[in-house]
Amino acid sequence: MSTIALAPQVSYDARRPAPVRLTRRGRVAVMVLGLLLALGAAVWLAAGSVASDEAGVVQVEVVTVDHGETLWDIAADAAAGGDVLTMMDRIRDLNTFEGNLLQAGQELRVPLD
């Protein structure tokens, strides 16, 4: 009787390298490196934002509308010799309303410039 011994076939593809396996310490090192890179990118991007005195918060005064007072009257007082129509637009934008109708007792935010 003849006996044939079969060895398990192991195929090795020379074109594909063996997969990389990280130890626990290696995984921690990769995670720390990734976090440091993310932190560095965040600091670099945040460096571009700088506070300035230009634009931003508008100083306002709260004005209560009297009986018979119009938006033109309030804008003319606030404009102090400037462009009344522009001031009317700014008041509308600050108070988020359209039109010129005001009611007595209504409170408006009026810019101080």
Side-chain angles (χ1 to χ4, degrees), residues 32-72:
V32 169
L33 179 65
L35 289 174
L36 287 175
L37 286 173
L39 179 65
V43 169
W44 182 69
L45 290 173
S49 50
V50 178
S52 67
D53 291 336
E54 300 174 20
V57 179
V58 176
Q59 297 293 326
V60 297
E61 173 186 10
V62 177
V63 175
T64 304
V65 178
D66 291 330
H67 183 71
E69 197 169 25
T70 64
L71 184 57
W72 179 273

Side-chain angles (χ1 to χ4, degrees), residues 72 75-76 79 82-92:
W72 179 273
D83 186 15
V84 178
L85 292 175
T86 304
M87 183 58 72
M88 287 174 68
D89 289 336
R90 291 182 65 198
I91 293 171
R92 279 190 208 102

Side-chain angles (χ1 to χ4, degrees), residues 10-30:
V10 177
S11 65
Y12 176 72
D13 190 359
R15 291 174 285 164
R16 284 189 359 193
V20 176
R21 295 185 182 182
L22 290 177
T23 62
R24 184 177 188 190
R25 186 178 354 168
R27 287 190 299 266
V28 170
V30 168

